[in-house]
Amino acid sequence: MAKIAFILLCHKDPDAIIKQAQSLTAVGDYISIHFDARAKPEHYRKIREGLADNPNVCFAHKRIKCGWGEWSLVEATIYAVQSAVESFPRATHFYMLSGDCMAIKSAEYAHEFLDRRDCDYVESFDYFQSDWIKTGWKEERLIYRHWFNERTQKRRFYAMFELQKRLGLTREIPADLEIMIGSQWWCLRRRTVEWILDFIKQRKDVMRFFATTWIPDETFFQTLVRHLVPEHEIECRTLTFLMFSDYGMPVTFYNDHYDLLLSQDFLFARKISPEATELRRRLGVLYASDGAKFQISNEGRSLYKFLSNKGRIGRRFAARFWEKESSLGRERELLIIVCKKWHVAKRLLDRMQQMTNIPCIEYLFNEESCPLPDLGGIQSTMGKRHRHRRALVRMLFDYYDTDRLVVCIDPGNLDLLEDFGRDRSLTRLLEIECQFSDEYLIGHAMRVGLAGDRTPYETLMRLLPTVRNDMVHESDRIRDAHFDNHTRMREIDSPEVNAKAVASFLTVPESQAQEIVQLDHLFAD
């Protein structure tokens, strides 16, 4: 059975470190601690004294001062790994942690998980071919030497870089290494760790190279594992759940994230807030429990993206030049049906097509599969349709040789509605207001990736108000835009009332509009 030796790099909160070590070792696992030499000496003494009687705890042979982006982080990890290998001969896996990490599964589950497959878990992507680095330096991290800390010695850091760049003082990457990159939160087998320690002793040239690279904790172990271990024995992923905001900062978890964390396909999570005392307590109890069952839904990242985007309503890039200068045509009418329940809008659209001679197009800006004529390729991808929205609709007018066209648009596409509303053509909106049951909202959350078949019921119940409010908010934004010629038909209204809205929208007699809305199953789910 797997026995884990945790490699803990930490620099603060000695009480939390003691509790973390006691929790992880209480089930028979081990921990090797490196406490930053920059930290207060009394904090380190407190940790040593608090864990002195625990045989499953050891400390790095040497403490060093660590800095972000420096080789010191890798060096500290190596010292902690060396101590763990010597102190815990029964350890089968070595798992990298920080003081902000906590288990989100039971130890029983974690051991069974690691026993399922004989492999190393480490993100290890090709440094130059992958898009792991989104912005900033790439090759410069490697071919120039970096002796200073970019955060604490910024002027020296960039001065040395510019000097090397002007003088052409680049260096070669070790010829036999394929540089890889990935998260520093890995879990490696004992054999792999021993191979890495042997490699370190033999290849001083590689050590010198990485010692002056920038942010080597994202490349050192990732490169060596891929160099030493057969590819089929590497699982290119981390077992630690972490998310980053749009600003590149780690997302912090609090007391109300307990159920969300347990449903992710990971063993640990980072970062747990120091103030989340109840979350830390519950996760500590969970790690020592037996027989715990977990429903893995893994929707955490998509759910976070959905919720965080709610605070960014209204942003839109400036209109492209071809959108500013183009027009659908002053004499044309664009009739837009706006409805969140696409099947309801499509039923009404089908009736309109049967009862009038107006060409009707379904959700052309929302569904890739929407039937469209060949317009020279402008309709071929969703990206092209959005980029050339006015040109696309103008070509549809021309294709059908008409001055009136009905299209469906999702209420979330306010930018499209505003864009068409500013056109010289006459634009009419028919907003269909539907009722949303819990079952429909759950299905919607699953369709857009906010939940899955295994998402816990409690999580779904907490998610539903947000999804419902989001749909209400979309409708409110449309009303706040004050579009001209905006009419509404509602599920709760009678067919007679809705017929008046359709008559105004299509500018047809009410008798004809009544025939259009006379569908018993129009609003059925």
Side-chain angles (χ1 to χ4, degrees), residues 328-367:
L328 304 183
R330 193 181 299 274
E331 305 302 323
R332 287 171 168 170
E333 290 185 39
L334 179 63
L335 310 176
I336 303 175
I337 297 176
V338 182
C339 183
K340 198 65 182 180
K341 288 188 177 182
W342 295 0
H343 58 279
V344 174
K346 290 178 181 180
R347 287 175 191 150
L348 184 65
L349 195 74
D350 185 57
R351 289 287 291 175
M352 288 181 178
Q353 205 158 18
Q354 293 175 17
M355 304 298 297
T356 71
N357 60 354
I358 305 173
C360 297
I361 308 292
E362 296 179 357
Y363 286 86
L364 72 164
F365 295 108
N366 303 104
E367 280 188 309

Side-chain angles (χ1 to χ4, degrees), residues 68-88:
W68 183 88
E70 292 182 8
W71 169 251
S72 55
L73 289 174
V74 177
E75 195 174 12
T77 304
I78 292 173
Y79 289 142
V81 168
Q82 288 172 338
S83 295
V85 170
E86 295 171 8
S87 302
F88 310 127

Side-chain angles (χ1 to χ4, degrees), residues 216-281:
D217 54 319
E218 294 179 349
T219 56
F220 180 77
F221 287 98
Q222 296 80 355
T223 298
L224 264 57
V225 171
R226 187 68 69 170
H227 182 72
L228 298 169
V229 179
E231 184 175 0
H232 68 273
E233 294 183 18
I234 300 173
E235 185 72 26
C236 190
R237 59 162 294 187
T238 176
L239 297 180
T240 299
F241 179 61
L242 67 163
M243 297 190 296
F244 290 91
S245 70
D246 293 347
Y247 307 102
M249 300 301 293
V251 174
T252 301
F253 299 107
Y254 296 93
N255 291 334
D256 56 349
H257 287 123
Y258 180 79
D259 291 327
L260 181 143
L261 291 175
L262 264 59
S263 65
Q264 306 312 304
D265 188 21
F266 297 86
L267 304 184
F268 281 74
R270 183 180 186 274
K271 288 179 152 185
I272 307 298
S273 170
E275 288 78 31
T277 53
E278 178 62 15
L279 176 61
R280 288 177 172 270
R281 183 194 68 78

Side-chain angles (χ1 to χ4, degrees), residues 367-415:
E367 280 188 309
E368 193 92 48
S369 59
C370 172
L372 290 172
D374 185 356
L375 302 174
I378 194 174
Q379 83 295 340
S380 59
T381 67
M382 196 62 70
K384 288 184 178 181
R385 296 180 197 176
H386 278 262
R387 283 196 301 273
H388 310 293
R389 56 189 68 167
R390 292 196 188 182
L392 173 64
V393 175
R394 190 171 63 249
M395 292 174 74
L396 287 171
F397 273 109
D398 293 338
Y399 178 85
Y400 289 109
D401 192 20
T402 182
D403 289 331
R404 306 187 78 201
L405 182 70
V406 183
V407 300
C408 296
I409 294 181
D410 187 270
N413 295 122
L414 182 62
D415 61 329

